[in-house]
Amino acid sequence: MANQDYLTPELRQQVEQLKQSIQQNPTTPRTYTPRARILWDWSNAYALSGGFLPVNLTTAVRPVLPTVPSRRNATAIDYYVKELTLVDEEPDALGEVVADLGPFEARTYVTFKQEFHVGSKPIEKGGGILVARHFMPGYGPYQVDDPSGDNYISISSSNPDVSFQNAGFPMSGMHGAFRGTAPALIFRVEKGTLNPGDVVTVTYGDRSGGGRGLLMGSASTDFLPVPLYVDFDGSDHCYALPIQPIAVSGSEIAGVHVFAPSVVRPGETFDISVRAQDLFYNRAKGPIPGFKVYANGKLWQTVSASDQAITVIANQAFEKAGVYHVTAVSEDGSIEGAGNPILVSETATKIAWGDTHGHSGFAEGIGTPDRFMEWAKEDARLEFVTHSEHDIWMDDFEWNELVANVKDYSEPGRFVAYLGYEWTTQNRFGGHHNVLFRTPDNNFRIPNQIYPTLSSLYQGLRENFSMKDVLVIPHAHQAGDYRQSDPELQTLVEIMSKHGTFEWFGRMYLNHGHEVGFIAASDDHLSQPGYTAPSGNYHSQRGGLAAVLTNDQSRDGIFDAMKSLQAYATSGDKIILDVSINNQGMGQRIPFQKNRKIEGKVIGTVPISSITVVKNDEEIWHKDYLTVKSGNFVDEEEFYITFSSESFPMHPQDNPRGTRGWNGRLEIEGADILSFEGSDFLHPEVSNLERDPDKMNALLFATGTRGDTSSIKLKLANIQRGAQVKLSFNPAREQGSPTRFRPAARIGRASVTLSFDDLKKGQARKAIPLDVYRDRVTFRRVINTGEKVVEFALADESQMQGDYYYVRVVQANDAMAWSSPIWVGGVATR
């Protein structure tokens, strides 16, 4: 023990008693709760002293469980008491890890080393070094069988008397199969003993045998977790070693994006940001070319060439009211990109764009909290953000750092960081809920480890805070229990994130009588909130955004607007949406009137495809703005092949259905493919769209959908009578959050033929049934250019009190937006 004990005298006494009692009697379900409480306090005290905690400790040690403790719960207590006992009584036992820190370029083959300097505790025969893999970063799969192959891992030692033998080791949690167990790589000491001071070197992407190296993931980061563990004696107790901050940079420029406020007043000055990015949305690695920035096709600003990926141009203004669409083109014309539309209006309500749900390496993601905040503020140019780390992976030291970051990165008039966390449990105990606080002052988390059910979360928040200063937002990935809601705490529901599109989830809250608005969020786990490429196989979409309607973009102004439902959701594009009923805006309950005039305006980032009005869970009005509905084919025509799948759970209270992969071949008979483009084919590592090398009129494709759509845009020529589209789909398996009642389905081979003659009213659909779901392929004939600004109006009549209405928008690029509901008459929940 250190001279200055990190434990209070009272806790020290409890800890020593806990050590002794476990040596005498292993933990049982009966003794679990008091022991877990002591271990929880001990762990947090150790973390606050600067100690490194094993990543899975805080999720394995839960002082208050929602069910009766199990044998597995009890075993976890003994495991982590042993882990903390070693570092408590022999602080030098774990030695030191030194690594090549980079930065290494994203999606390139690299070689780097980690050296483990053996501490005061030797590693005996049978013990060894566990070379674990984090499940998130996307680096290549380790292999030890082929030195000439990619991702080859080797080990060596400074002690010539020691040799190693590689083997598999069952690993679960963050550095294993996450929700299950998978074999990890362990190098066991076959001969000799590793003594204090010996150095063990693990080489990742060893090229000595001719391999290309280890393939880095696509996400840049300041903290790539490449974990190591040590087993001292072959007991299979693997002690976690501190993770080193390996960095990954972006790669060469592949695109550009312009960020600007969505609504400004005539003559009001504002800043724009021109951001050069690589193929994976990272900041591009220099040199960066100069750019010309256009507004509605007219040259507006210029950006000089530099080595910086982000250039902020201050004090811009438009004197004339109207809508301005912004684009950027590199000086040589090779790089083009766009920005969000800017509405210049004297009266329109301003929009604060934010992300209420994102993660870093403090939970199961990658990157530091500082990287998270910097990305939100500078890369995504958000007006507000919440770093809502999972409570089950958080200790008190990490919470304090989140509090400090909220204060450090907030900048009045420019950027608001809200303190928050994600209350995390299975959906049968309430599901995942993000908890946001108005201010970072005098706030603490009500964690799942102590408040393990949704009703206890509500109770804990009510007992400790003013309801006006706390906001709770459920989401559908581990589905929140829509049967219960606290009307003072829970005024918004997250209906879209990188995990999928879950409009059904918002509908379930509305159908159970809850008065809630809609927002979306990224749920990004790469410390890249608000603007990020999908990652994680097909089980990923573009990250959503929350649009908050308020002219007061201060901390109080944005928070009050969220509490009062003045918000709407988008799937990532900054679509401007205004909806009213009888001149009253979204999120409100207006006085009862029999006659309702529903009006709206949409300003898209690209042309609008469709607008739908939903009333009481039924679509009452729909208009298609993109489909060509009649007329003969001309020399060149544009068509969309669109894939869609439903995401609602087959059984009530289950988690949503997983992502459906669409992987196969498309062939056109009777027409020529001039060009093709993927819309929402966003995943850089999995999505694919290319011409079949064996046939010019065929394409190979791979994409995924989960409650949304993904399209292939075709330009065709020489369309003949009887032309057809033939689609063949390879077998696939649904991927997503674990379901309780319906296992993820295996999807067999399928084929679909769509005839050009079947384009009745401009489109033809084929359903592909699976269980209760009707996944679809849609073939559409579309106009070459469409309207980005659309106004709509309709009248509805009803005698019913409490009807609710909301609007869904779909763009030509498959991006979506949803207004928060408007209620007519009736009584709000209390």
Side-chain angles (χ1 to χ4, degrees):
M1 299 176 194
N3 292 332
Q4 176 107 27
D5 198 348
Y6 61 92
L7 301 177
T8 65
E10 180 183 6
L11 184 53
R12 168 57 67 188
Q13 182 180 11
Q14 293 174 342
V15 165
E16 295 304 323
Q17 290 175 347
L18 176 63
K19 293 177 187 178
Q20 294 176 13
S21 62
I22 283 179
Q23 288 179 352
Q24 297 167 359
N25 297 295
T27 303
T28 66
R30 184 179 60 81
T31 59
Y32 172 86
T33 299
R35 291 182 174 186
R37 178 76 253 189
I38 297 170
L39 181 54
W40 174 254
D41 293 339
W42 180 12
S43 302
N44 280 295
Y46 181 68
L48 287 169
S49 74
F52 172 78
L53 288 181
V55 293
N56 294 316
L57 184 151
T58 53
T59 191
V61 179
R62 304 192 185 192
V64 182
L65 291 168
T67 58
V68 175
S70 67
R71 177 66 60 183
R72 182 178 179 182
N73 296 137
T75 300
I77 297 298
D78 296 350
Y79 188 93
Y80 286 112
V81 165
K82 183 178 181 181
E83 190 112 357
L84 284 186
T85 296
L86 178 65
V87 295
D88 183 61
E89 297 181 353
E90 194 176 347
D92 296 330
L94 291 183
E96 181 185 13
V97 178
V98 179
D100 298 334
L101 300 181
F104 304 101
E105 189 172 319
R107 215 61 188 163
T108 62
Y109 287 92
V110 306
T111 296
F112 64 90
K113 297 178 179 180
Q114 292 202 87
E115 292 182 352
F116 171 52
H117 297 248
V118 179
S120 60
K121 188 175 179 65
I123 303 174
E124 301 170 2
K125 182 180 178 180
I129 306 299
L130 175 65
V131 184
R133 282 179 51 85
H134 193 289
F135 79 103
M136 180 68 66
Y139 43 66
Y142 299 162
Q143 62 95 4
V144 292
D145 298 321
D146 181 9
S148 65
D150 297 338
N151 310 312
Y152 181 68
I153 309 298
S154 65
I155 192 168
S156 62
S157 168
S158 63
N159 187 334
D161 296 327
V162 169
S163 62
F164 297 92
Q165 176 67 45
N166 65 73
F169 186 88
M171 197 74 176
S172 60
M174 198 185 303
H175 298 159
F178 194 54
R179 293 191 176 93
T181 300
L185 172 62
I186 188 169
F187 291 99
R188 294 198 181 275
V189 175
E190 185 179 37
K191 184 180 68 172
T193 299
L194 285 166
N195 297 307
D198 288 347
V199 178
V200 178
T201 302
V202 179
T203 303
Y204 299 79
D206 189 337
R207 291 186 169 110
S208 61
R212 290 184 293 179
L214 179 76
L215 180 61
M216 282 285 98
S218 61
S220 63
T221 181
D222 63 346
F223 200 110
L224 179 75
V226 186
L228 292 174
Y229 293 75
V230 58
D231 177 356
F232 290 104
D233 53 11
S235 65
D236 287 348
H237 188 116
C238 291
Y239 293 83
L241 299 173
I243 297 173
Q244 302 307 298
I246 295 170
V248 179
S249 71
S251 53
E252 66 180 16
I253 184 171
V256 62
H257 194 88
V258 182
F259 296 89
S262 288
V263 180
V264 296
R265 306 296 177 220
E268 179 186 6
T269 59
F270 58 90
D271 298 346
I272 67 170
S273 173
V274 181
R275 182 181 186 272
Q277 61 193 42
D278 67 9
L279 183 63
F280 317 112
Y281 288 32
N282 305 308
R283 290 188 194 182
K285 194 174 181 180
I288 307 299
F291 288 96
K292 295 180 179 179
V293 182
Y294 297 86
N296 291 348
K298 295 182 179 180
L299 183 63
W300 182 27
Q301 290 293 328
T302 59
V303 177
S304 299
S306 73
D307 60 354
Q308 298 298 313
I310 298 176
T311 299
V312 176
I313 306 175
N315 300 320
Q316 302 305 295
F318 291 114
E319 300 297 330
K320 185 179 179 180
V323 177
Y324 295 83
H325 284 91
V326 181
T327 56
V329 182
S330 62
E331 291 175 336
D332 64 0
S334 63
I335 304 292
E336 296 185 33
N340 56 276
I342 304 170
L343 172 62
V344 181
S345 169
E346 199 69 64
T347 58
T349 304
K350 292 188 174 184
I351 302 172
W353 292 98
D355 191 344
T356 58
H357 183 187
H359 303 281
S360 74
F362 270 9
E364 78 274 42
I366 70 173
T368 64
D370 288 295
R371 164 58 180 253
F372 181 97
M373 285 295 176
E374 182 183 1
W375 185 282
K377 189 173 184 178
E378 304 300 338
D379 291 77
R381 298 294 292 186
L382 298 176
E383 278 79 37
F384 70 96
V385 78
T386 304
H387 187 173
S388 56
E389 214 58 281
H390 289 283
D391 55 1
I392 61 171
W393 276 296
M394 202 186 323
D395 57 56
D396 288 350
F397 173 83
E398 293 170 329
W399 176 254
N400 289 348
E401 186 161 333
L402 298 190
V403 173
N405 271 7
V406 166
K407 297 176 181 178
D408 291 344
Y409 283 90
S410 293
E411 182 181 340
R414 162 70 177 87
F415 179 75
V416 179
Y418 288 105
L419 179 64
Y421 67 97
E422 184 171 353
W423 183 83
T424 308
T425 190
Q426 298 175 33
N427 72 332
R428 63 188 176 129
F429 303 123
H432 291 196
H433 291 67
N434 291 300
V435 179
L436 283 64
F437 297 101
R438 182 187 295 269
T439 75
D441 300 321
N442 302 316
N443 283 317
F444 49 89
R445 65 195 190 280
I446 303 295
N448 179 265
Q449 291 95 333
I450 310 297
Y451 300 85
T453 63
L454 183 55
S455 57
S456 66
L457 171 67
Y458 292 151
Q459 181 181 358
L461 291 170
R462 282 186 165 274
E463 289 175 347
N464 289 281
F465 304 107
S466 169
M467 295 302 91
K468 67 181 180 62
D469 294 331
V470 185
L471 174 64
V472 177
I473 306 173
H475 70 79
H477 175 51
Q478 274 273 4
D481 187 351
Y482 44 74
R483 296 171 298 177
Q484 53 180 318
S485 183
D486 187 313
E488 289 186 287
L489 287 169
Q490 199 158 283
T491 59
L492 296 174
V493 173
E494 180 189 301
I495 63 170
M496 187 271 163
S497 73
K498 65 165 284 182
H499 288 297
T501 299
F502 308 118
E503 183 182 330
W504 64 268
F505 186 62
R507 287 185 174 194
M508 293 305 293
Y509 274 90
L510 297 176
N511 292 341
H512 280 76
H514 306 306
E515 190 171 288
V516 292
F518 294 162
I519 65 165
S522 71
D523 198 1
D524 171 73
H525 285 62
L526 306 176
S527 298
Q528 296 180 347
Y531 185 72
T532 185
S535 62
N537 213 321
Y538 293 123
H539 173 38
S540 180
Q541 297 180 8
R542 67 180 102 194
L545 285 174
V548 176
L549 301 169
T550 176
N551 291 325
D552 176 7
Q553 296 193 355
S554 67
R555 175 176 297 279
D556 286 335
I558 295 172
F559 198 85
D560 288 340
M562 288 193 289
K563 289 286 285 186
S564 58
L565 285 65
Q566 303 299 293
Y568 64 92
T570 83
S571 60
D573 283 21
K574 291 184 177 179
I575 301 166
I576 299 174
L577 177 60
D578 182 28
V579 176
S580 65
I581 297 179
N582 297 345
N583 297 316
Q584 302 295 308
M586 67 178 78
Q588 299 185 50
R589 183 177 293 272
I590 67 175
F592 176 79
Q593 289 180 283
K594 174 183 175 182
N595 298 311
R596 295 98 185 255
K597 185 178 183 181
I598 305 166
E599 297 177 284
K601 183 175 184 178
V602 182
I603 303 173
T605 61
V606 299
I608 304 303
S609 177
S610 67
I611 298 175
T612 304
V613 176
V614 177
K615 172 188 177 183
N616 299 344
D617 211 30
E618 294 184 3
E619 298 179 2
I620 63 168
W621 183 85
H622 176 86
K623 186 169 182 179
D624 187 324
Y625 295 88
L626 202 62
T627 303
V628 177
K629 298 181 180 179
S630 62
N632 296 324
F633 296 125
V634 297
D635 291 341
E636 294 183 4
E637 290 264 1
E638 288 191 356
F639 299 85
Y640 277 17
I641 301 290
T642 300
F643 309 107
S644 61
S645 64
E646 297 173 308
S647 66
F648 64 86
M650 180 173 173
H651 303 277
Q653 285 83 58
D654 203 357
N655 282 322
R657 178 204 182 189
T659 297
R660 173 172 183 145
W662 304 89
N663 182 311
R665 185 175 184 273
L666 177 157
E667 183 174 351
I668 304 291
E669 292 184 351
D672 296 327
I673 300 177
L674 297 182
S675 64
F676 57 91
E677 180 183 353
S679 178
D680 205 42
F681 277 62
L682 294 176
H683 195 297
E685 300 170 25
V686 176
S687 294
N688 177 62
L689 183 61
E690 60 185 2
R691 202 181 291 268
D692 188 332
D694 298 325
K695 194 161 188 178
M696 287 294 292
N697 270 3
L699 305 176
L700 305 177
F701 60 87
T703 188
T705 58
R706 193 183 193 191
D708 67 333
T709 58
S710 186
S711 301
I712 300 173
K713 182 179 180 180
L714 299 167
K715 180 176 283 188
L716 305 180
N718 305 320
I719 302 171
Q720 304 169 19
R721 186 182 298 275
Q724 293 181 326
V725 179
K726 291 189 173 181
L727 293 150
S728 57
F729 299 105
N730 298 324
R733 183 179 176 86
E734 294 172 351
Q735 299 182 38
S737 47
T739 50
R740 293 170 55 201
F741 305 122
R742 175 186 176 270
R746 293 187 179 276
I747 302 168
R749 294 184 183 274
S751 60
V752 169
T753 299
L754 298 164
S755 171
F756 284 67
D757 294 336
D758 292 337
L759 291 180
K760 298 174 183 178
K761 296 184 179 181
Q763 62 180 321
R765 286 185 174 181
K766 286 289 181 72
I768 305 177
L770 177 67
D771 294 336
V772 299
Y773 304 108
R774 292 180 63 82
D775 302 336
R776 290 183 173 87
V777 180
T778 303
F779 182 35
R780 285 199 296 167
R781 180 187 180 192
V782 298
I783 59 179
N784 292 330
T785 58
E787 295 296 327
K788 295 181 181 178
V789 181
V790 171
E791 296 187 25
F792 64 94
L794 66 147
D796 188 45
E797 183 177 302
S798 174
Q799 300 283 357
M800 298 299 294
Q801 294 268 358
D803 292 331
Y804 68 81
Y805 301 78
Y806 69 88
V807 171
R808 179 197 315 122
V809 177
V810 181
Q811 293 192 149
N813 65 348
D814 295 302
M816 302 177 73
W818 300 261
S819 74
S820 280
I822 301 173
W823 292 261
V824 181
V827 179
T829 51
R830 291 287 184 267

